[in-house]
Coordinates of all heavy atoms in Angstrom, one line a residue:
R1 N -3.8 -0.6 5.3 CA -3.9 0.8 5.7 C -5.2 1.1 6.4 O -5.2 2.0 7.3 CB -3.9 1.6 4.4 CG -2.6 1.6 3.6 CD -1.4 2.1 4.4 NE -0.3 2.1 3.7 CZ 1.0 2.4 4.0 NH1 1.2 2.5 5.3 NH2 2.1 2.4 3.3
E2 N -6.2 0.3 6.1 CA -7.6 0.7 6.7 C -7.6 0.2 8.1 O -8.0 1.0 9.1 CB -8.7 0.0 6.0 CG -10.1 0.2 6.7 CD -11.2 -0.4 6.0 OE1 -11.1 -1.0 4.9 OE2 -12.4 -0.1 6.4
Y3 N -7.2 -1.1 8.4 CA -7.3 -1.5 9.7 C -6.2 -1.4 10.6 O -6.4 -1.6 11.8 CB -7.7 -3.1 9.7 CG -9.1 -3.4 9.1 CD1 -9.2 -3.7 7.7 CD2 -10.1 -3.1 9.9 CE1 -10.5 -3.9 7.2 CE2 -11.5 -3.2 9.4 CZ -11.7 -3.6 8.1 OH -13.0 -3.7 7.6
L4 N -5.0 -1.0 10.1 CA -3.9 -0.8 11.1 C -3.4 0.7 11.1 O -2.7 1.1 11.9 CB -2.7 -1.6 10.6 CG -2.8 -3.1 10.7 CD1 -1.6 -3.7 10.4 CD2 -3.2 -3.6 12.1
E5 N -4.0 1.5 10.2 CA -3.7 2.9 10.1 C -5.0 3.7 10.4 O -5.2 4.5 11.4 CB -3.1 3.3 8.8 CG -1.9 2.6 8.3 CD -0.6 3.4 8.7 OE1 -0.6 4.0 9.8 OE2 0.4 3.2 8.1
A6 N -6.0 3.6 9.5 CA -7.3 4.4 9.7 C -7.9 4.0 11.1 O -8.4 5.0 11.6 CB -8.1 4.1 8.5
W7 N -7.8 2.9 11.5 CA -8.5 2.5 12.8 C -7.8 3.2 13.9 O -8.3 3.4 15.0 CB -8.5 1.0 13.0 CG -9.7 0.3 12.4 CD1 -10.4 0.6 11.3 CD2 -10.4 -0.7 13.1 NE1 -11.4 -0.1 11.1 CE2 -11.5 -1.0 12.2 CE3 -10.2 -1.5 14.2 CZ2 -12.4 -1.9 12.5 CZ3 -11.3 -2.5 14.5 CH2 -12.3 -2.8 13.6
E8 N -6.5 3.7 13.6 CA -5.8 4.5 14.7 C -5.9 5.9 14.4 O -5.2 6.8 15.0 CB -4.3 4.0 14.7 CG -4.0 2.5 15.0 CD -4.6 2.2 16.4 OE1 -4.4 3.1 17.3 OE2 -5.1 1.2 16.7
G9 N -6.8 6.4 13.5 CA -7.0 7.8 13.2 C -6.1 8.4 12.1 O -6.2 9.5 11.8
R10 N -5.3 7.5 11.5 CA -4.3 7.9 10.5 C -5.0 7.6 9.1 O -4.7 6.6 8.5 CB -2.9 7.2 10.7 CG -2.4 7.4 12.1 CD -0.8 6.9 12.1 NE -0.8 5.5 11.9 CZ -0.8 4.6 12.9 NH1 -1.1 5.0 14.1 NH2 -0.8 3.3 12.6
C11 N -5.8 8.5 8.7 CA -6.7 8.2 7.5 C -6.0 8.7 6.2 O -6.6 8.3 5.1 CB -8.0 8.8 7.7 SG -8.9 8.1 9.1
T12 N -5.0 9.5 6.1 CA -4.4 10.0 4.9 C -3.0 9.6 4.9 O -2.3 9.4 5.9 CB -4.6 11.6 4.9 OG1 -4.0 12.1 6.1 CG2 -6.1 11.9 4.8
P13 N -2.5 9.5 3.6 CA -1.1 9.1 3.4 C 0.0 9.9 4.2 O 1.0 9.3 4.6 CB -0.9 9.1 1.9 CG -2.3 8.9 1.3 CD -3.1 9.6 2.3
D14 N -0.2 11.1 4.4 CA 0.8 12.0 5.1 C 0.8 11.6 6.6 O 1.9 11.9 7.3 CB 0.4 13.5 5.0 CG -1.0 13.7 5.6 OD1 -2.0 13.0 5.1 OD2 -1.1 14.6 6.5
L15 N -0.1 10.7 7.1 CA -0.1 10.4 8.5 C 0.3 8.9 8.7 O 0.6 8.4 9.7 CB -1.6 10.5 9.2 CG -2.0 11.9 9.2 CD1 -3.4 11.9 9.7 CD2 -1.2 12.9 10.0
W16 N 0.4 8.1 7.6 CA 0.7 6.7 7.7 C 2.1 6.5 8.2 O 3.0 7.2 7.9 CB 0.6 6.1 6.3 CG -0.9 6.0 5.9 CD1 -2.0 6.2 6.7 CD2 -1.4 5.8 4.6 NE1 -3.1 6.1 5.9 CE2 -2.8 5.9 4.6 CE3 -0.8 5.6 3.3 CZ2 -3.7 5.6 3.4 CZ3 -1.6 5.3 2.2 CH2 -3.0 5.3 2.3
Q17 N 2.2 5.4 9.0 CA 3.4 5.1 9.7 C 4.1 3.8 9.3 O 5.2 3.5 9.4 CB 3.2 5.0 11.2 CG 2.9 6.5 11.8 CD 2.5 6.4 13.2 OE1 2.7 5.4 13.9 NE2 2.1 7.5 13.8
L18 N 3.2 2.8 8.8 CA 3.7 1.5 8.4 C 4.5 1.5 7.1 O 4.1 2.3 6.2 CB 2.5 0.5 8.3 CG 2.0 -0.1 9.7 CD1 1.4 1.0 10.6 CD2 0.9 -1.2 9.4
R19 N 5.4 0.6 7.0 CA 6.0 0.4 5.7 C 5.4 -0.9 5.1 O 5.4 -1.9 5.7 CB 7.6 0.1 6.0 CG 8.2 -0.3 4.7 CD 9.8 -0.2 5.0 NE 10.3 -1.3 5.7 CZ 10.9 -2.5 5.4 NH1 11.2 -2.7 4.2 NH2 11.4 -3.3 6.3
I20 N 4.9 -0.7 3.9 CA 4.3 -1.9 3.2 C 5.0 -1.9 1.8 O 4.9 -1.0 1.1 CB 2.7 -1.6 2.9 CG1 2.1 -1.3 4.3 CG2 2.2 -2.9 2.4 CD1 0.6 -1.0 4.2
E21 N 5.6 -3.0 1.5 CA 6.2 -3.3 0.2 C 5.6 -4.5 -0.4 O 5.1 -5.4 0.3 CB 7.7 -3.5 0.4 CG 8.4 -2.3 0.8 CD 10.0 -2.2 0.6 OE1 10.3 -2.8 -0.4 OE2 10.6 -1.7 1.5
G22 N 5.5 -4.5 -1.7 CA 4.8 -5.6 -2.4 C 5.7 -6.1 -3.5 O 6.7 -5.4 -3.9
I23 N 5.4 -7.3 -3.8 CA 6.1 -8.0 -5.0 C 5.0 -8.6 -5.9 O 4.0 -9.1 -5.5 CB 7.0 -9.2 -4.6 CG1 8.1 -8.6 -3.6 CG2 7.6 -9.8 -5.7 CD1 8.9 -9.8 -3.0
E24 N 5.2 -8.4 -7.3 CA 4.2 -8.9 -8.2 C 5.0 -9.3 -9.5 O 5.7 -8.5 -10.0 CB 3.1 -7.8 -8.6 CG 2.2 -8.4 -9.6 CD 1.6 -9.6 -9.3 OE1 0.9 -9.8 -8.2 OE2 1.6 -10.5 -10.2
I25 N 4.7 -10.4 -9.9 CA 5.4 -11.0 -11.1 C 4.8 -10.5 -12.4 O 5.4 -10.6 -13.5 CB 5.5 -12.5 -11.1 CG1 6.6 -13.0 -12.0 CG2 4.1 -13.1 -11.3 CD1 6.9 -14.5 -11.8
W26 N 3.5 -10.1 -12.4 CA 2.7 -9.8 -13.6 C 2.3 -8.3 -13.6 O 1.4 -7.9 -12.8 CB 1.5 -10.6 -13.7 CG 0.7 -10.6 -14.9 CD1 -0.6 -10.0 -15.2 CD2 1.1 -11.2 -16.2 NE1 -1.0 -10.2 -16.4 CE2 0.1 -10.9 -17.2 CE3 2.2 -11.9 -16.6 CZ2 0.2 -11.4 -18.5 CZ3 2.3 -12.3 -18.0 CH2 1.2 -12.1 -18.8
E27 N 3.1 -7.5 -14.2 CA 3.0 -5.9 -14.1 C 1.7 -5.5 -14.7 O 1.3 -4.4 -14.4 CB 4.2 -5.3 -14.8 CG 4.2 -3.8 -14.4 CD 5.5 -3.2 -14.8 OE1 6.4 -3.8 -15.5 OE2 5.8 -2.0 -14.3
A28 N 1.0 -6.3 -15.5 CA -0.2 -5.8 -16.1 C -1.2 -5.7 -15.0 O -2.3 -5.0 -15.4 CB -0.6 -6.9 -17.2
Y29 N -1.1 -6.2 -13.9 CA -2.1 -6.0 -12.8 C -2.0 -4.6 -12.1 O -2.6 -4.2 -11.3 CB -1.8 -7.0 -11.7 CG -2.4 -8.5 -12.1 CD1 -1.8 -9.5 -11.6 CD2 -3.3 -8.7 -13.1 CE1 -2.1 -10.8 -11.9 CE2 -3.7 -9.8 -13.4 CZ -3.2 -10.9 -12.9 OH -3.6 -12.2 -13.2
R30 N -0.9 -3.8 -12.7 CA -0.7 -2.5 -12.0 C -2.0 -1.6 -12.0 O -2.5 -1.6 -13.1 CB 0.5 -1.8 -12.6 CG 0.9 -0.4 -12.0 CD 2.1 0.2 -12.6 NE 3.2 -0.6 -12.4 CZ 4.2 -0.4 -11.4 NH1 3.7 0.4 -10.5 NH2 5.3 -1.1 -11.4
N31 N -2.3 -1.0 -11.0 CA -3.4 -0.1 -11.1 C -3.1 1.0 -10.0 O -2.1 1.0 -9.3 CB -4.7 -0.8 -10.6 CG -4.5 -1.4 -9.1 OD1 -4.7 -0.7 -8.1 ND2 -4.5 -2.7 -9.1
P32 N -3.9 2.1 -10.0 CA -3.5 3.3 -9.0 C -3.4 2.9 -7.6 O -2.6 3.7 -6.9 CB -4.7 4.3 -9.4 CG -5.2 3.9 -10.7 CD -5.1 2.4 -10.8
G33 N -4.1 1.9 -7.1 CA -4.0 1.5 -5.7 C -2.6 1.2 -5.3 O -2.2 1.4 -4.2
W34 N -1.9 0.6 -6.2 CA -0.5 0.2 -5.9 C 0.4 1.4 -5.4 O 1.1 1.4 -4.4 CB 0.2 -0.3 -7.1 CG -0.2 -1.8 -7.5 CD1 -1.3 -2.5 -7.1 CD2 0.5 -2.6 -8.3 NE1 -1.4 -3.6 -7.8 CE2 -0.3 -3.9 -8.5 CE3 1.7 -2.5 -9.1 CZ2 0.2 -4.9 -9.2 CZ3 2.3 -3.5 -9.8 CH2 1.5 -4.8 -10.0
G35 N 0.2 2.4 -6.1 CA 1.0 3.6 -5.7 C 0.4 4.4 -4.6 O 1.2 5.2 -4.0
I36 N -0.9 4.2 -4.1 CA -1.3 4.8 -3.0 C -1.0 4.0 -1.7 O -0.6 4.6 -0.7 CB -2.9 4.9 -3.2 CG1 -3.2 5.9 -4.3 CG2 -3.5 5.5 -1.8 CD1 -4.7 5.9 -4.7
Y37 N -1.3 2.7 -1.7 CA -1.2 1.9 -0.5 C 0.1 1.4 -0.1 O 0.4 1.0 1.0 CB -2.3 0.9 -0.5 CG -3.6 1.6 -0.7 CD1 -4.4 1.2 -1.8 CD2 -4.2 2.4 0.3 CE1 -5.8 1.8 -1.9 CE2 -5.4 2.9 0.1 CZ -6.2 2.8 -1.0 OH -7.4 3.3 -1.1
Y38 N 0.9 1.2 -1.2 CA 2.3 0.6 -1.0 C 3.4 1.6 -1.1 O 3.4 2.4 -2.0 CB 2.6 -0.6 -2.0 CG 1.6 -1.7 -1.9 CD1 0.3 -1.6 -2.5 CD2 1.9 -2.8 -1.3 CE1 -0.5 -2.8 -2.5 CE2 1.1 -3.9 -1.1 CZ -0.1 -3.9 -1.8 OH -1.0 -5.0 -1.7
N39 N 4.4 1.5 -0.2 CA 5.6 2.3 -0.2 C 6.3 2.0 -1.5 O 6.9 2.9 -2.1 CB 6.4 2.2 1.0 CG 5.7 2.5 2.2 OD1 5.1 1.7 2.9 ND2 5.8 3.8 2.5
H40 N 6.4 0.7 -1.8 CA 7.1 0.4 -3.1 C 6.6 -1.0 -3.6 O 6.3 -1.9 -2.7 CB 8.6 0.3 -2.9 CG 9.4 0.2 -4.1 ND1 9.6 1.3 -4.9 CD2 9.9 -0.9 -4.8 CE1 10.4 1.0 -6.0 NE2 10.6 -0.3 -5.9
V41 N 6.5 -1.2 -4.8 CA 6.0 -2.4 -5.4 C 7.2 -2.9 -6.4 O 7.6 -2.2 -7.3 CB 4.7 -2.4 -6.3 CG1 4.6 -3.7 -6.9 CG2 3.6 -2.1 -5.4
H42 N 7.7 -4.1 -6.1 CA 8.8 -4.7 -6.9 C 8.3 -5.6 -7.9 O 7.5 -6.5 -7.6 CB 9.9 -5.3 -6.0 CG 10.3 -4.5 -4.8 ND1 11.4 -3.8 -4.9 CD2 9.7 -4.4 -3.7 CE1 11.5 -3.1 -3.7 NE2 10.6 -3.5 -2.9
I43 N 8.7 -5.5 -9.1 CA 8.3 -6.4 -10.2 C 9.3 -7.6 -10.5 O 10.5 -7.2 -10.8 CB 8.0 -5.6 -11.6 CG1 7.1 -4.4 -11.4 CG2 7.5 -6.5 -12.7 CD1 5.6 -4.9 -10.8

């Protein structure tokens, strides 16, 4: 989000254009950043 979005002037989620999905096997690592920077995280 920082280097492919903010560097293009898209600094807030309403302006973001990229689709980022994540996969994590250990849900205990979940933190607020997951919901901010990823469109979806699959467990």
